[in-house]
Amino acid sequence: MEQELQIYNTLNRTKSLFKPITEGRVGMYVCGPTVYGDGHLGHARPAITFDVLYRYLLHLGYKVRYVRNITDVGHLEHDADEGEDKIAKKARLEQLEPMEVAQYYTNRYHAAMDKLNVLRPSIEPHASGHIMEQIELVQKILDAGFAYESNGSVYFDVRKYHEHFKSYGQLSGRVIDEMLSTTRELDGQSEKRETADFALWKKAAPEHIMRWNSPWSVGFPGWHTECTAMGTKYLGETFDIHGGGMDLMFPHHESEIAQQTAVCGHGPCRYWMHNNMITINGQKMGKSLGNFITLDEFFNGTHDKLDQAYSPMTIRFFILQAHYRSTVDFSNEALQAAEKGFAKLMEAYKTLKGLQPSKSSSVDVKEYRQKCYDAINDDLNTPIVISHLFDMARVINTVNDRKATLTQADIDEMKNVMETFLFEILGMKDEAAGNNTKLVDGLMQMILDMRATAKANKDWATSDQIRDSLKELGVTVKDGKDGATWSY
């Protein structure tokens, strides 16, 4: 069946039908991490959001080139144009090479994303490996007349750009005329003509350890240049989708549009997509605020705000239970509810595989597939997809309790829908059995057979001992008309 994906485009604040530039192919760029510390829950949300989009586009049959960058040149402190590079600062404090810091945290980011079942992108370019492309971009902006050199640094001329294109602020909704009228520096107090101007290239101070040669000075690129340079290199001057967190809308993505427009006359992409924030008590979770919880702390339960450890799939399910454009407020209660909810779906899927078919169905299950497609097509409405999967779980449990019937064809249909949406598109996986599902199922069946034999021989002590020992291991045994079943 043909599916039509609707995407909310931040640029024009409307939801519209997704049509790629080239039929059958999609180019997608997503802003990746700055690797100077461990990934936290705020990093997991864009990774999971755009992983679902990537998975769904692949499911629809598109050939997708998914580019997600690694910022290993680093941002300046407070993401301003002054201060110390974050990676360089970390390297200095720990007496390491900057690339040693970047590689260490890149490896840890990958490990966390693998646990969250986030697919690797098609290309993962590093900012440090594309310095020449960034220098070329800066030169093109200078040549176009929308940048100026000052004491060895190069700045983007926001006033001149806005006067020409009338578009700076269109993505974020900022009123740039007001910014420009209230932020003019006194003469001689800054290298920049306006505080709104942003750095394209910075001259390195003598103590700055991350530095490269350029036509203007020995220095380093500004934060915004890397994504424009690498997006163009791998996806062309115009590509389909650019994604990232809502906190990147200004100044990062706004500046990307300005850089690309200054050189090409248009922005980099057709659809801008932004996920909303993870909050703690209503405040954005982030390293700069010091209120973040790292992913490893979630997985191990080692942070003082955590009541327990939460598995990667609990974290993923927790994030997908909210629409990507809405905020998600962290709480132990919400995570525990997500843990129980996902366990119910996994148990229903396991029950589904063992259902006994009937000659007729008392439940119409044909609508579930289209309902799930309708939800995911509606700007990736994952919470509605999940609600339909819970509806299916209730049907499965009703049939298992012999209060309804399904034919083999309907059982197969439900199994296929759950596998398509729960596993393939939402990217969930069965953590309990890991990669040894067949082995675990076989061993558990052997144990249940031993218990059944004990019960048949009226050896209640052994039967109860097996049940109680399994309970201590987190396994629940449920006796039914067709024999015993087990669940985590």
Side-chain angles (χ1 to χ4, degrees):
M1 63 185 74
E2 186 174 345
Q3 302 302 328
E4 293 191 335
L5 172 62
Q6 300 274 333
I7 286 177
Y8 182 85
N9 191 346
T10 313
L11 190 62
N12 54 26
R13 307 295 195 274
T14 58
K15 203 185 296 183
S16 59
L17 180 66
F18 173 68
K19 287 287 187 184
I21 296 166
T22 304
E23 188 176 351
R25 294 179 179 271
V26 176
M28 180 168 74
Y29 189 100
V30 174
C31 291
T34 303
V35 283
Y36 69 99
D38 277 332
H40 55 71
L41 198 61
H43 293 119
R45 191 167 198 196
I48 291 169
T49 294
F50 293 103
D51 181 60
V52 170
L53 177 59
Y54 182 36
R55 286 170 176 272
Y56 188 51
L57 291 169
L58 292 172
H59 173 77
L60 292 177
Y62 288 110
K63 291 183 178 179
V64 185
R65 180 175 289 177
Y66 176 18
V67 181
R68 188 185 66 205
N69 67 300
I70 295 287
T71 299
D72 56 358
V73 172
H75 300 174
L76 298 171
E77 285 295 290
H78 312 300
D79 293 342
D81 291 327
E82 307 297 336
E84 187 173 10
D85 182 290
K86 292 176 179 178
I87 292 176
K89 180 180 180 181
K90 188 86 169 180
R92 179 175 54 76
L93 291 173
E94 298 187 11
Q95 296 184 311
L96 297 169
E97 282 288 327
M99 287 301 110
E100 209 170 352
V101 172
Q103 189 63 56
Y104 175 78
Y105 287 111
T106 299
N107 292 345
R108 289 179 66 79
Y109 175 78
H110 285 154
M113 293 304 109
D114 289 346
K115 288 177 182 175
L116 290 168
N117 205 27
V118 170
L119 299 176
R120 297 286 178 97
S122 315
I123 303 173
E124 192 172 54
H126 291 231
S128 63
H130 296 76
I131 300 299
M132 291 308 300
E133 288 87 349
Q134 293 177 74
I135 290 172
E136 289 171 8
L137 171 66
V138 175
Q139 187 60 59
K140 287 178 181 178
I141 298 172
L142 278 165
D143 293 344
F146 295 108
Y148 57 90
E149 185 182 349
S150 178
N151 298 326
S153 295
V154 181
Y155 295 96
F156 192 92
D157 192 330
V158 171
R159 179 181 291 275
K160 189 172 182 182
Y161 170 82
H162 189 58
E163 287 174 351
H164 188 274
F165 290 103
K166 307 295 184 188
S167 62
Y168 195 79
Q170 63 177 334
L171 181 69
S172 59
R174 301 286 178 112
V175 181
I176 301 305
D177 290 332
E178 290 181 8
M179 289 178 60
L180 291 171
S181 66
T182 58
T183 60
R184 182 176 289 280
E185 289 280 359
L186 294 175
D187 289 344
Q189 287 194 339
S190 172
E191 292 181 345
K192 298 192 290 184
R193 295 173 185 171
E194 310 269 359
T195 53
D197 295 347
F198 56 88
L200 298 172
W201 185 267
K202 287 288 288 183
K203 181 180 179 180
E207 68 274 10
H208 198 96
I209 53 180
M210 298 181 79
R211 51 175 62 216
W212 293 266
N213 291 322
S214 81
W216 316 287
S217 64
V218 176
F220 51 94
W223 171 25
H224 314 305
T225 59
E226 63 177 278
C227 290
T228 300
M230 294 189 294
T232 301
K233 179 180 177 70
Y234 296 110
L235 297 172
E237 289 184 359
T238 307
F239 51 89
D240 295 299
I241 299 168
H242 194 316
M246 201 170 283
D247 57 332
L248 298 177
M249 200 183 301
F250 187 89
H252 186 50
H253 291 162
E254 197 77 72
S255 299
E256 278 191 62
I257 292 173
Q259 290 168 162
Q260 187 80 348
T261 304
V263 173
C264 303
H266 56 75
C269 67
R270 296 177 67 183
Y271 301 86
W272 283 93
M273 297 180 69
H274 292 90
N275 65 274
N276 216 318
M277 300 297 99
I278 301 279
T279 57
I280 296 183
N281 298 323
Q283 186 180 41
K284 175 198 164 188
M285 178 183 288
K287 287 176 182 160
S288 60
L289 298 171
N291 65 348
F292 65 94
I293 303 172
T294 71
L295 291 169
D296 276 353
E297 287 172 332
F298 274 105
F299 301 157
N300 301 323
T302 52
H303 195 280
D304 58 10
K305 288 185 182 293
L306 299 175
D307 291 346
Q308 63 178 77
Y310 297 100
S311 74
M313 287 302 100
T314 297
I315 299 297
R316 187 173 179 112
F317 198 69
F318 166 68
I319 287 172
L320 293 177
Q321 279 185 308
H323 190 269
Y324 77 90
R325 287 192 287 113
S326 64
T327 56
V328 176
D329 199 51
F330 157 81
S331 71
N332 281 283
E333 293 76 15
L335 280 165
Q336 287 161 9
E339 183 177 60
K340 290 176 183 176
F342 178 54
K344 285 180 181 178
L345 287 183
M346 290 306 303
E347 180 59 25
Y349 175 69
K350 183 171 174 290
T351 300
L352 175 63
K353 293 192 290 184
L355 285 184
Q356 294 300 310
S358 299
K359 291 182 179 179
S360 62
S361 293
S362 61
V363 184
D364 183 7
V365 302
K366 292 181 176 62
E367 61 184 8
Y368 287 115
R369 181 182 297 275
Q370 192 57 52
K371 280 185 174 181
C372 289
Y373 272 123
D374 289 345
I376 203 74
N377 283 329
D378 184 16
D379 194 32
L380 304 184
N381 203 328
T382 58
I384 300 299
V385 174
I386 289 170
S387 73
H388 294 320
L389 294 175
F390 276 124
D391 287 343
M392 291 175 66
R394 281 190 283 274
V395 171
I396 291 164
N397 292 330
T398 302
V399 173
N400 191 50
D401 291 339
R402 301 195 175 190
K403 295 176 181 176
T405 59
L406 288 175
T407 63
Q408 185 63 58
D410 282 345
I411 290 172
D412 292 342
E413 168 66 4
M414 291 191 80
K415 184 169 176 284
N416 185 267
V417 171
M418 290 199 79
E419 288 172 349
T420 297
F421 285 92
L422 185 59
F423 303 131
E424 181 188 345
I425 295 172
L426 297 187
M428 303 303 297
K429 64 179 182 180
D430 186 356
E431 289 175 308
N435 294 322
N436 298 313
T437 305
K438 189 173 180 180
L439 174 63
V440 171
D441 284 345
L443 290 172
M444 282 304 305
Q445 191 57 54
M446 188 187 305
I447 293 168
L448 292 181
D449 287 345
M450 291 169 62
R451 181 169 175 268
T453 300
K455 288 180 71 176
N457 294 331
K458 298 186 178 181
D459 184 357
W460 310 121
T462 300
S463 171
D464 291 345
Q465 184 183 6
I466 292 172
R467 183 197 61 206
D468 295 342
S469 296
L470 288 172
K471 188 175 181 180
E472 289 178 12
L473 295 171
V475 177
T476 300
V477 175
K478 184 179 178 181
D479 291 308
K481 295 178 181 178
D482 298 320
T485 57
W486 63 277
S487 62
Y488 289 101

